[in-house]
Amino acid sequence: MSTTASVGTASAEGGGGGDVAPPSATASADTPMTGADGVPEGTSPDKPASPPAAATTTAASTEKDAASAATFLFASESVTESHPDKLCDVISDAIVDACLTLDPASRIACETVCKTGVVIVLGEITTSASINYEQVIRDAVRDAGYDDPAKGLDYKTCNVIVALEEQSPDIAQSVDAAKVEDIGAGDSCIVFGYACEETPEFMPLSHVLATKLSARLAEVRKDGTLDWIRPDGKTQVTLEYANNESGVPVPKRVHSIVISAQHSEEVSNDKIAADLMEHVVKPVVPSQYLDESTLYHMNPSGRFVIGGPHSDAGLTGRKSNVDTYGGWGSYGGGALSGKDATKTDRSGAYAARWVAKSLVANGYCARCKVQLSYAIGLSHPMSVYICTYGTCTNKNGMAERDLVKMVESKFDLRPGCIVKELDLRRPIMRKTAAYGHFGREEEEFKWEKVKEF
């Protein structure tokens, strides 16, 4: 019987907790050799696959070998809203919303740190609102499920430290303007947006599945379906992709699923594995992507009683790939949470996604990456870059080199205009803090509404 509750359909013990060999970048004889970046040589999620080299004919050569040589593995991960890093994002954005609710013109740059029994909030906030920051913090910790020291944090008794100052007047004078359209960028930064045709959300499937699994982990805790689950949790999904004739990665199957769920002391590893398969994996992952070779690893560490901030310190902005595109496209480096929309790390990233999704949804390309760059105090972006990975359709005679001019004519990418058009002075930021800022159809997320052109 497995002590790690790792299960695999190919296991001698079946799906109820038998050990399987841990997946790797080359998981089986059927998967291709990988380069230093973990992507098969000659194949990349960012460029079309090179034609497979002619194989020496041997008695062991099969059609399956040839097919698998043209595929690659790509993994995305996600975490629950109560993971220590994500808890810090939630707290930071709860403070942003508290300020925006009373003063929509608030300037906020708020970082959170958490560890066993303590939450520290620090940063710069300029607002006319009177905020009980300690109460906002305790409420967010409570909502994340941390109501007992045994879970790593207790909202009733944890120590709360608030170290907030006003925004530097040097920064403020460079951002301020008489009209919102003319405000300067709150910082210098580069941001990226990404979109693809893989899913109805115009998001990569590996990211979508990992995100939905982590959200489902929280759901079965909150509704009592699984009474042994505690707040902390993490998921990882590896897909096998093949590039089609246009060089677009197409998901073929789920190679492996890893779920780590914090749990109570008394539950057995076999029950953890069985419950996660039945109540988390099956309701989320479409069956057509699962086969007899799919690997499942449920709490592969074997024990996850100590979790949350007790196990690992949390920090705002440390789950960038979880927040964005699961490792696809690119990421500019700035945190999204804890900032008002004058910070172009946030508003610029939303605009870049808006542009990328609109280009794909309007049929100008099958995949799209958009880069925007901003300089502190200046109201226009320094640069706009668009990459379609060779999938530009030349719709309306628009080659890839023409897309930037078209985008600049259709979207006003000044920070103030982004704030105005996407209505980013509303208290909607806490909702973005967990389960991704993109690929969600909430009414408040106006950057997900395709602009028709």
Side-chain angles (χ1 to χ4, degrees):
M1 183 173 293
S2 170
T3 58
T4 63
S6 295
V7 300
T9 55
S11 164
E13 292 184 26
D19 289 326
V20 295
S24 67
T26 56
S28 74
D30 296 327
T31 53
M33 295 298 292
T34 59
D37 58 358
V39 175
E41 295 174 356
T43 307
S44 165
D46 288 339
K47 65 181 180 180
S50 301
T56 303
T57 303
T58 68
S61 294
T62 64
E63 290 184 7
K64 182 179 178 183
D65 294 330
S68 102
T71 66
F72 62 91
L73 302 181
F74 197 91
S76 297
E77 69 173 11
S78 184
V79 295
T80 68
E81 64 212 63
S82 309
H83 180 281
D85 293 330
K86 195 45 62 182
L87 172 64
C88 289
D89 288 340
V90 170
I91 292 170
S92 291
D93 273 342
I95 290 173
V96 173
D97 280 0
C99 293
L100 293 178
T101 297
L102 298 176
D103 177 11
S106 296
R107 301 279 174 79
I108 308 135
C110 177
E111 315 292 339
T112 302
V113 181
C114 67
K115 186 51 186 163
T116 310
V118 63
V119 177
I120 305 171
V121 172
L122 60 163
E124 299 78 44
I125 296 180
T126 299
T127 182
S128 63
S130 177
I131 306 295
N132 183 342
Y133 293 111
E134 181 177 345
Q135 191 61 52
V136 172
I137 293 164
R138 291 192 188 278
D139 288 348
V141 173
R142 178 201 62 207
D143 294 346
Y146 289 112
D147 54 9
D148 189 322
K151 297 179 180 179
L153 199 63
D154 184 349
Y155 77 95
K156 301 183 294 294
T157 61
C158 65
N159 188 20
V160 173
I161 301 172
V162 177
L164 296 170
E165 300 176 358
E166 288 198 345
Q167 183 183 52
S168 162
D170 290 351
I171 296 175
Q173 62 84 29
S174 72
V175 176
D176 291 337
K179 296 192 300 182
V180 67
E181 295 91 337
D182 296 328
I183 64 174
D187 200 356
S188 299
C189 68
I190 58 172
V191 295
F192 289 90
Y194 181 80
C196 61
E197 293 180 330
E198 272 179 54
T199 63
E201 301 93 338
F202 293 95
M203 294 287 282
L205 183 62
S206 59
H207 173 71
V208 169
L209 293 180
T211 301
K212 288 184 176 180
L213 286 172
S214 63
R216 179 64 182 166
L217 270 183
E219 183 181 348
V220 296
R221 171 180 63 85
K222 293 175 180 178
D223 67 16
T225 299
L226 300 181
D227 59 5
W228 52 262
I229 283 192
R230 288 180 174 174
D232 198 358
K234 193 170 190 177
T235 63
Q236 183 185 102
V237 176
T238 301
L239 293 187
E240 184 176 345
Y241 282 86
N243 287 313
N244 67 15
E245 63 278 1
S246 300
V248 177
V250 177
K252 295 299 183 181
R253 57 181 291 272
V254 173
H255 165 272
S256 56
I257 296 173
V258 181
I259 299 179
S260 295
Q262 187 187 11
H263 59 86
S264 59
E265 184 80 41
E266 67 280 356
V267 66
S268 70
N269 289 329
D270 284 344
K271 180 170 176 55
I272 289 172
D275 281 353
L276 292 179
M277 283 292 297
E278 185 64 29
H279 297 289
V280 179
V281 175
K282 288 183 179 180
V284 168
V285 183
S287 59
Q288 68 264 31
Y289 291 110
L290 303 175
D291 58 34
E292 68 279 1
S293 298
T294 299
L295 303 174
Y296 304 91
H297 293 279
M298 306 302 172
N299 277 23
S301 67
R303 181 177 170 87
F304 191 7
V305 174
I306 299 173
H310 189 187
S311 174
D312 297 288
L315 180 64
T316 299
R318 212 157 50 180
K319 287 291 175 281
S320 56
N321 285 331
V322 172
D323 286 339
T324 53
Y325 308 104
W328 294 86
S330 300
Y331 181 69
L336 298 178
S337 290
K339 299 172 180 177
D340 73 276
T342 64
K343 289 17 174 227
T344 42
D345 282 323
R346 183 168 216 158
S347 55
Y350 292 171
R353 162 65 176 174
W354 189 29
V355 172
K357 184 176 180 179
S358 295
L359 285 171
V360 175
N362 281 297
Y364 286 92
C365 51
R367 289 177 78 200
C368 186
K369 176 169 68 176
V370 174
Q371 185 204 58
L372 308 175
S373 66
Y374 291 92
I376 188 169
L378 302 184
S379 60
H380 286 273
M382 295 293 95
S383 63
V384 179
Y385 167 77
I386 296 173
C387 171
T388 68
Y389 305 89
T391 69
C392 183
T393 63
N394 296 309
K395 180 179 177 179
N396 296 331
M398 291 285 178
E400 182 170 308
R401 64 180 177 273
D402 303 316
L403 294 180
V404 168
K405 287 186 178 179
M406 183 180 72
V407 163
E408 289 177 332
S409 72
K410 302 296 183 182
F411 296 84
D412 193 328
L413 297 172
R414 291 177 293 170
C417 293
I418 296 169
V419 170
K420 186 175 181 179
E421 191 153 3
L422 298 182
D423 203 3
L424 295 179
R425 286 183 165 177
R426 295 166 296 153
I428 62 169
M429 302 309 184
R430 179 172 174 175
K431 197 177 225 184
T432 69
Y435 311 117
H437 292 244
F438 309 117
R440 297 166 60 181
E441 296 303 323
E442 278 86 347
E443 184 61 33
E444 301 95 327
F445 292 14
K446 290 191 174 182
W447 53 93
E448 291 296 323
K449 311 301 179 187
V450 172
K451 175 175 273 195
E452 303 292 340
F453 52 84

